Amino acid sequence: MKFNTKVIHGGQHHDPSTGAVMPPVYQTSTFVQKSPGQPLGDYEYSRAANPTRSALENALASIENGERGLAFSSGLAATDCILRSFKAGDEIIAMDDLYGGTYRMFTKIYKDSGIKFHFVDMNDLEKFQSLINENTKLIWVETPTNPLMKLADIQEIAKITKKHKILFAVDNTFATPYLQKPLDLGADIVMHSATKYLGGHSDVIAGALIVKDKELGEQLHFQQFATGATLGPMDSFLVLRGIKTLHLRVQRHCENGEKIAEYLNNHSKVKTVFYPGLKSHPHYEIAKKQMKGFGGMVSFSFESGKKEDSITFLEKVKVFTLAESLGGVESLANHPALMTHASIPAEKRKEVGITDDLVRLSVGIEDIEDLIADLEQALA
């Protein structure tokens, strides 16, 4: 199947008992057994597996070209499941520009675990390779990153990780499987905050992992089952419903995102626009190579460099909604330093380039004329 067909039919089956086209919401915690230890079918207890969640997990595996999909109660729960594979003395190398929640987990929750974290610009392959040693167990990459839209060359990094036999995980939240396929490019694990584009309607919190290796999939499923961060059946239904229109939505997100980026790039009050679809973007060639389109996430800073200007702008937008999160059908605007990335220390934000005047836009699927008019009045 091609992708647009996969999002609707990939890994999916009509309900065998009723013929329902969409999988029912199996709102049950447990399943009957005919004799002790002998369930009637494939299900015993919903923490281990639930038919609605299984339908979603099959769809996730299909759209990412993976062997196994796992659905979690949040993107951070999915990330945490991966980290439970490691022990004191192990080392993890991560992108230097990360979602604030990921950075917080790495540096605050796991700070006393004995796991050592390194943060590096993944485009400096020489420096990245210099950090690899016999204790290195995982490479963690976001591409594009949140919020500076940095890219990393998945194929080139995969060559290095395969040579050293190190697990390679890619947070594919911003790109979505419609635009980018990390497993096909050599990654071992794909992570999604399914709250974002996969769900697509700002009405669910969910996470996902997809892997190609069957044994790794079994290991991660055991860790998920043993720690309990599974996605409930109703939330699984909502994400599965969202996936069925993913291709249509992301196509419009891309169209609008490119136009917004061009508009901002030519505005006198805007200093820098961070968008991989602009030829001025330092990683434009990587984006062309590994992405089908450039996405709907756009960040920008002000010519004045003033935090007050970004706050005034965010207070004035009307069609864009001032709120955290991203990837929904509606356009959102966010101040990373005060909102999504506030948990990152100020000196670290400054080091990676998250300035106090930076604004991040999640460009929705509204009429582009209305979005540009809203930006115009707010910037005025």
Side-chain angles (χ1 to χ4, degrees), residues 86-351:
F86 308 110
K87 62 184 187 305
D90 290 343
E91 298 188 18
I92 294 172
I93 302 173
M95 197 100 168
D96 61 352
D97 180 28
L98 289 177
Y99 163 55
T102 307
Y103 183 84
R104 180 177 58 224
M105 180 183 290
F106 289 0
T107 59
K108 300 280 179 71
I109 300 300
Y110 280 88
K111 67 182 174 66
D112 298 322
S113 69
I115 300 172
K116 187 175 182 180
F117 292 87
H118 303 274
F119 299 93
V120 66
D121 180 352
M122 286 292 178
N123 287 283
D124 187 344
L125 293 180
E126 191 175 324
K127 186 174 182 182
F128 158 53
Q129 290 185 83
S130 73
L131 294 171
I132 295 174
N133 59 58
E134 60 183 12
N135 298 319
T136 308
K137 304 299 181 187
L138 176 71
I139 308 303
W140 182 274
V141 162
E142 278 182 31
T143 181
T145 62
N146 182 1
L148 293 174
M149 310 301 154
K150 292 182 182 178
L151 272 70
D153 191 320
I154 297 171
Q155 242 175 347
E156 290 303 311
I157 294 169
K159 289 177 187 175
I160 297 166
T161 58
K162 288 192 185 328
K163 176 184 171 185
H164 293 277
K165 297 181 180 177
I166 302 167
L167 279 178
F168 178 21
V170 174
D171 181 339
N172 202 29
T173 299
F174 271 26
T176 81
Y178 178 71
L179 300 179
Q180 182 171 270
K181 300 278 198 315
L183 296 180
D184 289 355
L185 295 169
D188 301 298
I189 306 172
V190 172
M191 194 286 290
H192 283 277
S193 171
T195 307
K196 315 304 194 296
Y197 287 105
L198 296 186
H201 293 80
S202 303
D203 55 7
V204 64
I205 301 288
L209 295 179
I210 304 97
V211 300
K212 261 195 169 172
D213 182 75
K214 191 173 182 180
E215 189 176 328
L216 177 59
E218 288 296 330
Q219 176 193 330
L220 292 171
H221 175 257
F222 173 76
Q223 286 163 200
Q224 178 193 39
F225 164 72
T227 56
T230 52
L231 191 63
M234 188 64 214
D235 290 341
S236 297
F237 176 86
L238 290 172
V239 176
L240 184 59
R241 183 180 67 171
I243 285 174
K244 290 183 184 295
T245 58
L246 178 67
H247 56 307
L248 297 173
R249 289 184 288 103
V250 175
Q251 187 176 349
R252 176 60 70 87
H253 286 299
C254 289
E255 291 169 4
N256 284 353
E258 288 188 47
K259 289 172 183 173
I260 293 289
E262 290 287 354
Y263 167 78
L264 291 170
N265 204 38
N266 292 310
H267 200 285
S268 60
K269 291 184 180 177
V270 172
K271 181 179 181 182
T272 307
V273 179
F274 303 88
Y275 185 70
L278 292 175
K279 290 184 179 178
S280 57
H281 191 286
H283 306 143
Y284 174 70
E285 292 301 325
I286 297 176
K288 278 205 309 180
K289 182 176 83 166
Q290 72 186 21
M291 296 175 73
K292 183 180 174 181
F294 304 113
M297 298 301 300
V298 182
S299 295
F300 70 96
S301 62
F302 285 81
E303 194 64 53
S304 68
K306 292 180 179 178
K307 177 181 179 181
E308 294 75 19
D309 284 350
S310 62
I311 292 173
T312 301
F313 167 83
L314 290 165
E315 288 174 346
K316 285 186 174 182
V317 289
K318 296 174 182 176
V319 181
F320 281 84
T321 300
L322 175 57
E324 295 196 3
S325 200
L326 59 104
V329 291
E330 66 290 307
S331 293
L332 301 177
N334 159 58
H335 192 285
L338 294 176
M339 296 167 71
T340 51
H341 291 68
S343 60
I344 297 177
E347 64 274 14
K348 181 65 179 177
R349 291 199 304 267
K350 185 177 180 182
E351 182 186 320

